[in-house]
Amino acid sequence: MTTPNECPSWKKLQNHYHEIKNLHMRDMFASDPDRFDKFFLSSQDIFLDYSKNRITPRTMELLMELVRETRLQEKIQAMFTGEKINSTENRSVLHVALRNPADKPVYVQGQDVMPEVHRVLDKMRGFVHQVRHGEWTGWTGKKVRHVVNIGIGGSDLGPKMVTKALSSFNNDGPEMHFVSNVDPAHLENTLKKIDAETTLFIIASKSFTTQETMFNARQARSWFLEHAKNENHIERHFVAVSTNTDRVRQFGINPDNMFEFWDWVGGRFSLWSAIGLPIALSTGMNSFEQLLQGAHDMDNHFRSAPIESNMPIILALLSIWYTNFFQAQTQAVLPYSQYLKDFPAYLQQGEMESNGKSSTLDGNFVNYATGPVIWGEPGTNGQHAFYQLLHQGTVMVPCDFIIFARQPEHNDRQHRLLMANYLAQTQALMTGKTEEEARQEMNAAGMPPDKINKLLAHKIFPGNRPSNSIMIPELTPRNLGKLIALYEHKIFVQGAVWNINSFDQWGVELGKQLARAIEPELDHDRPVTSHDSSTNGLINLWKKL
Ligand code: F6P
């Protein structure tokens, strides 16, 4: 398989980078009044302006060549047709099947998985209806008022992010809580807010072996039994979402109360499966199905749009351009929506667990950069925290700005303020402020020359800092589904070009292994000497404290 830096286009891109690296976007806009139209895309009601990037038409041509030379289209086809592209775990990667219509077969090893997918969706629909309509009650006959999802990583971040994003669609649904951290404070503080009689616990774990989740689940069960005093009541208050029926049964949850998914769904791509049960309970099954429909719309776009107008491909190529040629090590995701507060954290797992890899699919080490650090916060909060560095720091951070054109609250004045900030920030990052402009500004404000000279360097903004602007008409379940799938496919394209496996996560194993070895050493008072001096020193300090 080809590594990207063996492709002819890679060398051309390196040369091209040297040709254009000193061009300023200000000048590019000044010399080309059509720049916005040239670098603007819309599909499925998602609008992407990527004109404020350090690119020319030639950059995009060369990046498209890279895509062709790394045989992206074949790789897309392989994913959608169920080939085992997660080669280190010998698995297909088919989260796209979870949002596929029932009558379009998707095969895994010769078997159509769609009947199973829709059987579980039907089961979810029935359960969600019962819970939301008070037909499924707790042991004292009371309606479910609280749902506590216990899970971590993909079994937490996706459903939590979407549940919050769609919280305004929760019409009389239960209050949702998410417990992930093994820090006892997380569960304990949640239990203080609920009462056992009206609480449903969802134990969400693909493997049903994850230490943190199993620990929290056992603690939650003990707490519940302290109140209910009868194991038979567990049935009304604990359900599971997993691929592992045996473990669910061993835990004491009736497999009838289990919602399955399959090993071809990666944890960080699982919110479309029964892992999305909290979303469905909170917003209703219709909204959940709209979310799936939106993702399917984006799947269709990704699969069929030519690369020049394929939004996930364009976003991925821009990210590769900055990572591999400008050596940018981080990228920021900045939603101008309080509803998308958890979107950056969700994408951190999506991108960093997928593309934070150093070995190629053929088992060699890469000699080029792969996945960048992803981080972010909602605007405008971020503006008053870290944007200083974005504007005047010494590193370049490519940014994605995301906003909904309309808001459910209909507070037009306040939304206009949010919009003005969204627009102003990308403009400021792009244009910056020259020495001349800074000087004139201070002059006009009547500042004495000696003060101007003292302040001048501080008032200059270099600009030329790249950003994508994503605009979506409004936050609906369907549009949110499109947005999430857009990033999922972007992640896929990056991994495909970098020739890495975006679907395994061996890097999380070592820490788990070592924690298993350390935990018993914390059980006694004797000093520990079996590790390096730092680890021993910290263990022994902890014992003393
Ligand atoms: O440790 C990483 C990881 O395996 C993630 O990939 C996954 O989303 C998370 O743990 C939770 O795993 P599970 O759903 O099996 O509990």
Side-chain angles (χ1 to χ4, degrees):
M1 262 176 265
T2 340
T3 57
N5 57 353
E6 287 164 353
C7 294
S9 55
W10 191 269
K11 186 87 212 136
K12 291 186 206 166
L13 278 160
Q14 280 175 328
N15 293 336
H16 175 70
Y17 162 74
H18 288 291
E19 282 159 22
I20 73 149
K21 68 175 193 234
N22 295 324
L23 292 185
H24 201 292
M25 282 190 276
R26 250 182 193 232
D27 302 324
M28 297 197 239
F29 272 96
S31 64
D32 181 1
D34 296 331
R35 189 171 168 87
F36 173 77
D37 297 323
K38 272 190 193 129
F39 299 120
F40 175 78
L41 273 183
S42 74
S43 172
Q44 323 282 329
D45 256 0
I46 308 263
F47 299 88
L48 167 68
D49 166 25
Y50 62 103
S51 61
K52 290 194 188 91
N53 277 291
R54 293 173 70 172
I55 54 170
T56 66
R58 178 71 181 146
T59 320
M60 295 317 291
E61 260 168 47
L62 291 175
L63 288 167
M64 306 287 164
E65 265 181 53
L66 180 64
V67 154
R68 287 190 198 95
E69 286 166 0
T70 49
R71 298 151 80 134
L72 176 68
Q73 293 297 350
E74 281 171 40
K75 293 177 185 176
I76 296 175
Q77 184 67 0
M79 172 169 74
F80 276 89
T81 53
E83 271 183 47
K84 293 190 169 180
I85 60 169
N86 177 356
S87 50
T88 59
E89 295 181 321
N90 197 30
R91 288 175 182 166
S92 306
V93 174
L94 273 176
H95 44 280
V96 291
L98 300 167
R99 54 249 190 163
N100 188 55
D103 57 355
K104 281 207 225 154
V106 175
Y107 294 98
V108 175
Q109 290 180 292
Q111 186 144 5
D112 180 12
V113 296
M114 292 317 300
E116 267 297 278
V117 168
H118 280 267
R119 181 185 64 74
V120 176
L121 279 172
D122 288 344
K123 185 171 173 176
M124 284 171 71
R125 191 175 302 108
F127 181 67
V128 167
H129 178 90
Q130 286 184 321
V131 171
R132 286 177 60 92
H133 289 83
E135 293 162 20
W136 178 289
T137 59
W139 91 92
T140 57
K142 288 188 183 162
K143 189 176 176 180
V144 171
R145 294 278 171 211
H146 299 274
V147 173
V148 181
N149 188 79
I150 299 183
I152 198 164
S155 301
D156 168 67
L157 291 163
K160 184 169 66 184
M161 180 273 287
V162 175
T163 300
K164 280 199 190 161
L166 299 181
S167 54
S168 67
F169 291 78
N170 180 339
N171 298 320
D172 205 27
E175 194 179 330
M176 309 304 294
H177 310 265
F178 291 85
V179 173
S180 52
N181 200 333
V182 77
D183 179 344
H186 202 176
L187 180 65
E188 279 168 23
N189 288 333
T190 306
L191 296 179
K192 282 182 199 152
K193 296 182 204 149
I194 60 177
D195 69 290
E197 283 177 77
T198 60
T199 297
L200 176 76
F201 290 93
I202 302 173
I203 314 302
S205 173
K206 180 177 172 182
S207 57
F208 232 72
T209 58
T210 302
Q211 214 185 22
E212 294 91 334
T213 300
M214 290 302 107
F215 214 93
N216 276 326
R218 280 192 292 272
Q219 293 296 104
R221 188 177 55 185
S222 307
W223 173 86
F224 173 76
L225 286 174
E226 277 168 28
H227 293 84
K229 314 228 183 291
N230 184 341
E231 295 230 345
N232 291 334
H233 296 329
I234 285 184
E235 189 137 22
R236 312 292 303 168
H237 292 265
F238 282 77
V239 300
V241 180
S242 187
T243 59
N244 192 339
T245 315
D246 290 342
R247 290 283 189 151
V248 168
R249 194 182 289 110
Q250 275 168 29
F251 180 84
I253 294 180
N254 182 343
D256 287 347
N257 290 343
M258 166 178 165
F259 298 85
E260 293 150 270
F261 63 114
W262 307 274
D263 72 353
W264 41 263
V265 181
R268 51 193 175 274
F269 302 97
S270 63
L271 71 86
W272 321 100
S273 71
I275 287 287
L277 187 60
I279 304 168
L281 284 167
S282 146
T283 63
M285 197 65 192
N286 287 345
S287 292
F288 185 65
E289 282 172 334
Q290 283 295 305
L291 184 84
L292 299 184
Q293 181 57 52
H296 182 64
D297 297 339
M298 187 50 72
D299 295 342
N300 286 338
H301 165 77
F302 179 51
R303 214 176 164 181
S304 61
I307 54 177
E308 295 75 13
S309 54
N310 193 308
M311 213 180 277
I313 296 181
I314 299 288
L315 281 182
L317 290 177
L318 291 167
S319 168
I320 289 168
W321 175 232
Y322 294 118
T323 302
N324 296 107
F325 300 94
F326 283 80
Q327 316 301 338
Q329 293 190 343
T330 90
Q331 295 180 14
V333 179
L334 308 166
Y336 275 63
S337 163
Q338 192 59 21
Y339 288 110
L340 291 190
K341 183 176 184 329
D342 288 346
F343 193 56
Y346 165 77
L347 277 187
Q348 272 177 341
Q349 187 197 20
E351 293 222 22
M352 291 162 77
E353 199 166 75
S354 299
N355 289 336
K357 310 278 163 72
S358 304
S359 46
T360 65
L361 279 166
D362 332 76
N364 297 310
F365 289 111
V366 296
N367 52 3
Y368 44 87
T370 62
V373 175
I374 301 295
W375 59 284
E377 270 291 312
T380 57
N381 297 356
Q383 289 173 208
H384 297 274
F386 53 79
Y387 278 40
Q388 164 65 43
L389 182 147
L390 299 184
H391 288 288
Q392 289 186 315
T394 52
V395 294
M396 179 180 94
V397 183
C399 301
D400 285 359
F401 285 76
I402 303 169
I403 199 162
F404 299 103
R406 298 186 292 275
Q407 267 204 315
E409 281 76 15
H410 301 295
N411 185 338
D412 289 348
R413 175 77 217 284
Q414 218 166 327
H415 188 68
R416 275 204 299 277
L417 193 59
L418 184 72
M419 183 60 73
N421 276 280
Y422 161 90
L423 296 167
Q425 289 298 328
T426 63
Q427 189 184 28
L429 285 167
M430 186 272 281
T431 55
K433 193 182 281 178
T434 61
E435 181 176 335
E436 186 51 29
E437 286 165 345
R439 192 183 288 282
Q440 268 174 19
E441 202 177 83
M442 287 188 280
N443 247 327
M447 208 177 270
D450 60 327
K451 194 156 181 212
I452 291 180
N453 288 336
K454 211 166 156 199
L455 274 183
L456 192 58
H458 304 278
K459 295 277 195 174
I460 295 168
F461 288 66
N464 217 13
R465 305 212 161 184
S467 65
N468 293 310
S469 300
I470 295 176
M471 202 180 289
I472 304 169
E474 62 184 325
L475 175 53
T476 61
R478 189 163 177 168
N479 284 341
L480 183 63
K482 293 172 201 169
L483 178 71
I484 301 168
L486 168 65
Y487 276 92
E488 282 183 346
H489 294 318
K490 174 202 171 206
I491 293 165
F492 173 88
V493 175
Q494 288 168 290
V497 170
W498 285 324
N499 194 30
I500 56 177
N501 183 354
S502 299
F503 301 103
D504 59 12
Q505 54 282 316
W506 300 104
V508 301
E509 294 303 325
L510 179 59
K512 289 187 196 172
Q513 243 171 35
L514 296 182
R516 274 197 292 273
I518 290 173
E519 203 204 331
E521 296 175 327
L522 305 181
D523 260 358
H524 57 75
D525 293 335
R526 296 185 302 281
V528 167
T529 56
S530 53
H531 307 279
D532 58 273
S533 64
S534 164
T535 310
N536 288 337
L538 289 167
I539 292 175
N540 296 327
L541 172 66
W542 178 74
K543 290 184 183 219
K544 225 186 284 167
L545 292 175

